[in-house]
Amino acid sequence: MHTLKIGIPKSGNFWLHTILHNIIDYSDLKYESFMANQPIYEVAKNLEMNLFKGQININFLDITKNAVFYRIGNMFRYPIDDIDDYINSSTLVWTHAQMSDNVLNSIKKFDKLIYIIRDPRDILISWSNFVFSPYMQRYYPFLIVDETDPETYLNKNMTTIVSDWMNHVGGYLKHQKDLNIHFVFYERLLHDFDRELEKILAYLGIDLDVKARGEIKEKVSFNHMKKDSPNHIRKGNLGQWVDLLSDAQKEEVLEMATPLLKLLNYPLNSQIDTIPELPEKLPENLNLPDGKVVLLKPSNH
């Protein structure tokens, strides 16, 4: 079985990837890694990559509108000539790719697709802090132009970040049914991990006993992962935006994202009184902040 984990950055991707990796380790599946069999792998092991533990071992897939690449963090990026060979050589793959025709043609080759969603207001805060981390300051300094702190960065880039979230999430919701995508909510993982783990296992068709599930829960707990990857795991909370965003910022997000927030049952005020979930039935389309309309029901051709 070949599984692709998808999500916009700062949605809990590392957490979900670690959960899936542990599920594979505790199952009867054989873990195969395309990355570990590339010549660059031995070289990369001696390079400094301090974002999170095991970063070098991630099968990370970059998919643009006309090409596909594998990469190692910020260190190395190389074209993939045979996507079928890549997939057949990888049990678990991670991508941030936004939906496009080329993405669709590539990801439909996987057996399982799991997409993680997080409240864009918390993504705003998480990303704005992350770009000022030592790792990002060293390897991606071009992301910061005139900004001097996370708050300034958030104010300047809020529209772009929320628009990207709308387009990214909406693009994959459109293909929920035809690609059989399993959606995981970051907030639901925090709210009831056992239940969400059960649903992931059911989707993957993997049965694990109570002992294995308990051990996975411990290994992917915030304290355990924070200890292993202190440079990447920051707080692991939900609803930070309630206290950290100004009233004006909250209103601006709502002006852009209310249709999708409402569709996914995210709170529309500062009371965290709902848990996100997929609707039983998706609407015909979804208006996006750039004026485009995403058809959430794919055509038959």
Side-chain angles (χ1 to χ4, degrees):
M1 182 167 63
H2 308 286
T3 300
L4 178 66
K5 182 213 62 63
I6 314 158
I8 198 168
K10 309 313 294 178
S11 294
N13 292 278
F14 180 43
W15 189 17
L16 180 56
H17 187 275
T18 305
I19 293 169
L20 295 173
H21 204 310
N22 273 276
I23 288 174
I24 293 167
D25 288 344
Y26 277 90
S27 73
D28 294 329
L29 294 174
K30 179 183 178 182
Y31 185 83
E32 296 181 310
S33 172
F34 174 89
M35 193 63 254
N37 292 298
Q38 302 311 302
I40 190 64
Y41 182 78
E42 293 300 321
V43 176
K45 285 197 297 187
N46 297 316
L47 299 175
E48 180 185 355
M49 288 189 295
N50 57 357
L51 181 57
F52 54 78
K53 184 178 180 181
Q55 184 179 3
I56 188 178
N57 297 305
I58 300 291
N59 293 306
F60 197 96
L61 191 63
D62 273 347
I63 312 174
T64 68
K65 291 184 177 181
N66 53 17
V68 183
F69 304 84
Y70 73 90
R71 69 177 170 94
I72 305 175
N74 57 286
M75 302 287 189
F76 181 83
R77 188 170 186 254
Y78 198 81
I80 295 174
D81 297 318
D82 187 339
I83 186 63
D84 294 300
D85 176 67
Y86 175 88
I87 294 172
N88 290 332
S89 303
S90 305
T91 305
L92 178 61
V93 177
W94 172 339
T95 190
H96 291 312
Q98 183 168 311
M99 182 57 70
S100 67
D101 288 342
N102 193 38
V103 169
L104 181 60
N105 290 333
S106 298
I107 70 174
K108 67 184 182 182
K109 296 174 179 288
F110 284 85
D111 300 309
K112 300 291 182 178
L113 303 171
I114 301 183
Y115 187 101
I116 187 163
I117 303 177
R118 186 184 187 187
D119 192 315
R121 293 161 290 193
D122 277 335
I123 290 176
L124 275 170
I125 295 165
S126 183
W127 179 255
S128 297
N129 282 285
F130 183 55
V131 294
F132 285 90
S133 66
Y135 176 85
M136 294 295 285
Q137 289 280 285
R138 179 173 184 183
Y139 298 117
Y140 296 92
F142 55 84
L143 291 177
I144 300 172
V145 183
D146 300 319
E147 303 90 342
T148 57
D149 53 61
E151 184 177 356
T152 307
Y153 183 91
L154 190 154
N155 284 328
K156 184 176 179 180
N157 295 278
M158 181 164 62
T159 299
T160 299
I161 294 171
V162 176
S163 294
D164 286 347
W165 180 83
M166 290 279 290
N167 284 286
H168 206 287
V169 174
Y172 282 91
L173 281 175
K174 174 180 178 178
H175 294 283
Q176 177 202 4
K177 296 297 184 182
D178 58 308
L179 293 180
N180 187 29
I181 303 173
H182 179 69
F183 284 87
V184 175
F185 288 91
Y186 178 88
E187 293 80 9
R188 295 189 77 90
L189 281 172
L190 285 173
H191 178 71
D192 189 349
F193 181 86
D194 295 334
R195 175 58 180 151
E196 294 308 302
L197 177 60
E198 181 181 338
K199 290 193 288 187
I200 292 171
L201 290 170
Y203 172 73
L204 295 175
I206 294 175
D207 184 29
L208 296 180
D209 59 28
V210 174
K211 181 174 181 294
R213 295 182 188 206
E215 290 180 4
I216 290 174
K217 185 176 182 179
E218 172 58 28
K219 288 182 178 181
V220 303
S221 67
F222 174 80
N223 289 336
H224 193 284
M225 292 183 65
K226 176 71 172 178
K227 183 171 60 177
D228 282 343
S229 304
N231 294 321
H232 191 63
I233 306 297
R234 185 170 162 266
K235 287 190 175 181
N237 296 332
L238 63 84
Q240 300 179 70
W241 63 269
V242 172
D243 297 320
L244 297 180
L245 294 184
S246 68
D247 289 343
Q249 289 170 332
K250 294 173 186 175
E251 186 61 32
E252 186 172 345
V253 173
L254 289 180
E255 289 177 2
M256 299 173 60
T258 288
L260 190 48
L261 290 171
K262 187 176 181 180
L263 179 69
L264 299 175
N265 202 40
Y266 276 109
L268 300 181
N269 53 47
S270 294
Q271 299 296 320
I272 307 297
D273 54 3
T274 61
I275 298 296
E277 60 184 346
L278 286 183
E280 292 185 5
K281 184 178 181 181
L282 291 173
E284 293 286 341
N285 58 61
L286 182 71
N287 295 320
L288 298 180
D290 58 5
K292 296 180 181 178
V293 176
V294 167
L295 298 176
L296 293 181
K297 293 190 175 181
S299 60
N300 294 324
H301 58 274

